[in-house]
């Protein structure tokens, strides 16, 4: 990658805006598209160019990054009318950083390859804080040559960048990540509920368990927010529920039983149905409080 490499960026939500901003700060020329143009304003103010469609982004770019919401959004952005592959030139590299279905990732890879375009999957973990601080963990799948070419761009956005193998392996690795998060987040919520009912001072309790065998990212970063009743999103409930659904579909395909994952996913379905889909995924605490008739 040189400073003249033209970057395309599609999706400027909670994480995408900061991630694109890091590339722009490195001096790369950037063309952006988002469903809500106003969300790109800070990038436009710093010199980014606006494109009216994903196809227009691809036509103006050497490397196109995407980080959107649902698998249906990924499909539309890449494969449907006015999508990236409609106008991407031979030699273009596309990088999908959305968490999506491994099967869809493979479909995009094959469709891109037929046009001489490289497709890399690179979902991330670390939330809005990791995106802002450029400390994301990036799980990469795709051909080694393409991954090596975009590695300097990943290094502007993250700290732990691992090539997991062929196309789709980045997404499979992200499913492993989400399975761990599902089990951990419910454990943290139940710990806080237990401490509350036992009459403990929750910040004092956390000062002990965050330094012992229970220490983890969720205790350090999300438990204090739960104590403060701050459920602002770093990662949306509706997106996490989507991820758990993808993981369960993959489990079914592979014949793997995941009862814990299935249970936690149902709690998130309930949380979303109660109108909390746009809260942070640590809002799982709200459902568990209802089960114990805790009014806060």
């Amino acid at each position: 990658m040189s400073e003249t490499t033209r970057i395309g960026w599609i999706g400027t939500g909670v994480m995408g805006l900061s991630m694109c901003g890091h590339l722009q700060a490195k001096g790369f020329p950037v063309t952006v598209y988002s469903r809500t143009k106003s969300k790109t304003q800070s990038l436009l103010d710093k010199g980014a160019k606006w494109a009216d469609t994903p196809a227009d982004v691809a036509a103006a770019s050497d490397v196109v990054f995407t980080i959107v919401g649902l698998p249906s959004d990924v499909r539309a952005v890449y494969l449907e009318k006015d999508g990236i592959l409609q106008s991407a030139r031979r030699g273009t590299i596309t990088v999908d950083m959305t968490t999506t279905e491994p099967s869809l990732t493979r479909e995009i890879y094959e469709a891109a390859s037929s046009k001489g375009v490289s497709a890399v999957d690179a979902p991330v973990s670390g939330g809005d804080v990791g995106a802002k601080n450029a400390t994301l963990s990036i799980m990469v799948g795709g051909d080694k040559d393409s991954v090596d070419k975009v590695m300097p761009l990943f290094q502007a956005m993250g700290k732990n960048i691992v090539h997991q193998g062929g196309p789709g392996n980045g997404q499979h690795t992200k499913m492993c990540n989400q399975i761990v998060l599902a089990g951990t987040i419910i454990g943290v919520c139940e710990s806080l509920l237990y401490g509350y009912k036992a009459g403990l001072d929750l910040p004092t309790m956390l000062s002990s368990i965050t330094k012992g065998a229970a220490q983890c990212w969720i205790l350090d970063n999300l438990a204090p927010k739960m104590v403060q009743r701050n459920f602002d999103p770093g990662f949306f409930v509706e997106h996490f529920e989507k991820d758990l659904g993808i993981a369960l579909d993959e489990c079914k395909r592979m014949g793997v039983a995941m009862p814990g994952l299935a249970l936690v996913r149902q709690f998130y379905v309930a949380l979303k149905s109660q109108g909390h889909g746009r809260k942070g995924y640590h809002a799982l605490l709200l459902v568990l409080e209802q089960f114990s008739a805790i009014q806060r």
Side-chain angles (χ1 to χ4, degrees):
M1 297 293 110
S2 70
E3 290 187 358
T4 60
T5 298
R6 298 173 302 165
I7 303 298
W9 195 278
I10 298 171
T12 52
V14 171
M15 298 177 67
L17 182 65
S18 296
M19 294 162 70
C20 182
H22 294 311
L23 295 180
Q24 191 177 39
K26 292 289 186 181
F28 293 104
V30 174
T31 301
V32 297
Y33 169 80
S34 184
R35 287 184 298 189
T36 306
K37 185 176 181 180
S38 61
K39 291 184 177 181
T40 68
Q41 195 58 53
S42 63
L43 301 172
L44 298 176
D45 290 344
K46 294 176 183 177
K49 296 180 180 179
W50 170 258
D52 290 325
T53 67
D56 292 338
V57 172
S61 305
D62 302 306
V63 182
V64 181
F65 288 89
T66 56
I67 181 165
V68 292
L70 304 174
S72 58
D73 300 319
V74 175
R75 179 174 293 280
V77 161
Y78 278 90
L79 300 175
E80 295 181 2
K81 184 177 182 294
D82 293 326
I84 291 167
L85 295 185
Q86 177 177 301
S87 60
R89 299 176 311 283
R90 180 173 292 274
T92 300
I93 302 175
T94 68
V95 183
D96 185 26
M97 306 190 82
T98 316
T99 299
T100 190
E101 299 162 344
S103 58
L104 177 57
T105 295
R106 289 287 311 184
E107 183 180 349
I108 291 169
Y109 173 83
E110 291 166 5
S113 295
S114 71
K115 296 176 176 290
V117 173
S118 298
V120 172
D121 53 296
V124 300
S125 181
D128 61 329
V129 174
K132 290 174 184 175
N133 295 334
T135 57
L136 293 168
S137 178
I138 306 177
M139 296 151 262
V140 188
D143 297 334
K144 186 178 186 303
D145 181 59
S146 300
V147 172
D148 287 346
K149 286 178 180 177
V150 296
M151 187 60 70
L153 304 179
F154 288 145
Q155 290 168 343
M157 296 181 278
K159 293 298 184 184
N160 183 40
I161 306 154
V162 182
H163 184 200
Q164 297 290 338
N169 280 10
Q171 296 296 346
H172 281 304
T173 303
K174 182 60 183 290
M175 291 301 105
C176 293
N177 183 86
Q178 302 307 71
I179 290 166
V180 171
L181 285 183
T184 306
I185 190 74
I186 193 169
V188 170
C189 289
E190 289 180 343
S191 174
L192 290 173
L193 289 176
Y194 180 95
Y196 174 77
K197 291 295 285 186
L200 296 177
D201 178 77
L202 295 181
T204 302
M205 179 271 287
L206 289 172
S207 71
S208 287
I209 72 171
T210 55
K211 301 301 187 291
Q215 62 182 304
C216 63
W217 186 92
I218 289 176
L219 272 180
D220 289 339
N221 292 276
L222 296 184
K225 291 185 177 181
M226 290 187 245
V227 171
Q228 296 161 10
R229 314 300 290 175
N230 175 1
F231 299 111
D232 292 343
F235 187 56
F236 290 119
V237 163
E238 62 186 19
H239 289 171
F240 192 56
E241 186 273 325
K242 174 263 296 182
D243 292 354
L244 302 188
I246 292 171
L248 285 168
D249 287 343
E250 289 298 313
C251 289
K252 181 178 180 180
R253 182 183 64 80
M254 294 185 291
V256 179
M258 293 276 178
L261 177 63
L263 176 62
V264 177
R265 196 263 178 125
Q266 286 303 308
F267 292 154
Y268 275 99
V269 170
L271 191 61
K272 190 169 71 168
S273 71
Q274 293 169 6
H276 299 304
R278 301 297 285 179
K279 285 186 169 67
Y281 77 112
H282 55 296
L284 178 65
L285 182 67
L286 300 176
V287 167
L288 299 181
E289 286 177 343
Q290 286 183 345
F291 291 165
S292 297
I294 294 175
Q295 301 292 329
R296 296 287 297 275

